[in-house]
Amino acid sequence: MAEKFKLTIVTPDREFFNEDVDMVEFNTTEGEIGIYKGHIPLTVIVKPGILTITQGDSVRNAALHAGFVQILPEEVTILAEIIEWPGEIDEERAEAAKERAESRLSGDKSSIDVARAEAALMRSIARINAVKLK
């Protein structure tokens, strides 16, 4: 069994999570990362996707959209712009947002902010995937 470390996740609106965990996994701009206690100190930028928290036999998922992560050997702190538990997500709204983003990206790209449309697409996909993993 893995040793536990403190995982704290805060947003501008609330403290989302603050408990001891065995492992946490999420996407960064450099790729996917999994963290156990004793990880080397590191700071990374979040890329939209699924955050997976493992506590013993329990695994919880959330849609993590943007933020920064400070990784220390005994503690991980995620400063999230937006993070949502599956129960907080409106799946129909996420599907509609995905369709809008895909439509924008398939059309004339000279009249849109491509980076913004791609970010909206990634956020909607993260929400949909979080609900499906529930």
Side-chain angles (χ1 to χ4, degrees):
M1 186 165 151
E3 293 184 51
K4 296 193 179 294
F5 63 92
K6 176 64 76 180
L7 173 62
T8 304
I9 305 171
V10 294
T11 73
D13 300 331
R14 64 182 169 158
E15 182 176 80
F16 181 81
F17 188 88
N18 188 0
E19 296 180 24
D20 289 338
V21 303
D22 296 308
M23 184 174 75
V24 63
E25 301 169 89
F26 54 91
N27 294 329
T28 75
T29 56
E30 302 297 315
E32 293 181 40
I33 188 169
I35 302 165
Y36 288 101
K37 182 177 181 175
H39 197 286
I40 62 167
L42 188 64
T43 301
V44 296
I45 300 170
V46 168
K47 183 176 179 184
I50 300 297
L51 173 111
T52 302
I53 300 168
T54 303
Q55 294 174 292
D57 293 334
S58 172
V59 176
R60 297 176 73 188
N61 295 298
L64 176 59
H65 302 293
F68 297 90
V69 182
Q70 177 188 40
I71 302 165
L72 299 171
E74 305 285 326
E75 177 180 9
V76 173
T77 303
I78 300 175
L79 303 175
E81 195 173 302
I82 301 170
I83 185 166
E84 302 162 300
W85 295 116
E88 299 172 329
I89 296 169
D90 180 337
E91 189 174 6
E92 288 180 20
R93 186 172 176 219
E95 288 284 356
K98 178 179 179 252
E99 289 172 13
R100 279 192 311 275
E102 288 173 336
S103 176
R104 280 191 216 115
L105 290 168
S106 67
D108 177 18
K109 290 187 175 81
S110 66
S111 63
I112 65 164
D113 182 340
V114 174
R116 187 172 173 198
E118 288 173 342
L121 178 60
M122 286 190 293
R123 285 191 306 270
S124 64
I125 290 171
R127 285 182 172 115
I128 293 164
N129 288 341
V131 170
K132 290 188 186 314
L133 290 172
K134 182 164 64 166

